[in-house]
Amino acid sequence: MDLRSLDAGELTLAAQLDRLVAESLDARRHRLVFVEKVPDAAFSLWARAKATREPDDVAYLDLQGDGQSLVTGCIVGLDVSGDDLDEALNVVLNGRSVVLVSGLDRSRARLGERLFRWLDWSATHLPLTVATTREAAAYVVRLRHHNVAVVQILDSRLSADAAALAGRAIQSRQDP
């Protein structure tokens, strides 16, 4: 599979992202995958749903551009929030096969060097980190000493399908 570009074809965005994660884990080639052209909102809903359904393997982090908590997300199936990308966060992420990250672009100015240090840690210690971004070049340049892939998913019409699917999955987990 050419990881530089996925053809949307008949697949929904959620199915494409699921396939991307599975193939990246199977291949053991990439520790960092940047997914371009997917709206953060659609990626976030898919990522939260995946972390909720697979709490032993998948964690989801949303890096906040503003607000009180710097990091929110879902780890071991629980909603979390924290003030930094720090050792305490890294400890609870150890053992996850996949960490899904949204909010890179909106938090980059606020986090600065801390963001790149954390991405470096992630690429070194976690089997796979998948992050959504509008433009991966700034991250790839700084992290090129790691196995890094960039995937573009261009069919934005599928974002609504993924958001609806993920929203239903999250709601069904919360309903008694």
Side-chain angles (χ1 to χ4, degrees), residues 46-171:
W46 167 80
R48 179 173 288 283
K50 191 157 183 70
T52 301
R53 284 191 315 264
E54 302 175 41
D56 293 336
D57 298 318
V58 180
Y60 164 62
L61 300 178
D62 183 22
L63 307 181
Q64 304 295 308
D66 52 15
Q68 288 191 316
S69 294
L70 195 57
V71 180
T72 63
C74 182
I75 303 174
V76 295
L78 303 172
D79 286 343
V80 298
S81 66
D83 296 328
D84 210 346
L85 297 168
D86 58 13
E87 187 61 30
L89 175 65
N90 295 349
V91 167
V92 295
L93 289 177
N94 271 321
R96 299 316 94 187
S97 299
V98 181
V99 175
L100 306 168
V101 182
S102 63
L104 287 187
D105 297 330
R106 71 174 178 264
S107 66
R108 193 169 100 195
R110 180 177 176 189
L111 294 172
E113 193 58 34
R114 285 183 296 169
L115 176 60
F116 288 102
R117 281 196 306 269
W118 184 80
L119 287 170
D120 182 72
W121 175 88
S122 178
T124 303
H125 293 92
L126 300 174
L128 180 65
T129 301
V130 179
T132 185
T133 177
R134 287 185 301 274
E135 175 60 52
Y139 304 100
V140 172
V141 166
R142 293 284 304 275
L143 299 162
R144 65 185 172 272
H145 56 284
H146 291 293
N147 287 332
V148 178
V150 177
V151 176
Q152 292 181 339
I153 297 179
L154 300 173
D155 193 341
S156 61
R157 294 172 302 157
L158 301 176
S159 298
D161 295 339
L165 175 66
R168 285 195 302 272
I170 292 167
Q171 188 59 43

Side-chain angles (χ1 to χ4, degrees), residues 4 8-9 12 30 134:
R4 185 67 191 146
T12 65
H30 303 293
R134 287 185 301 274

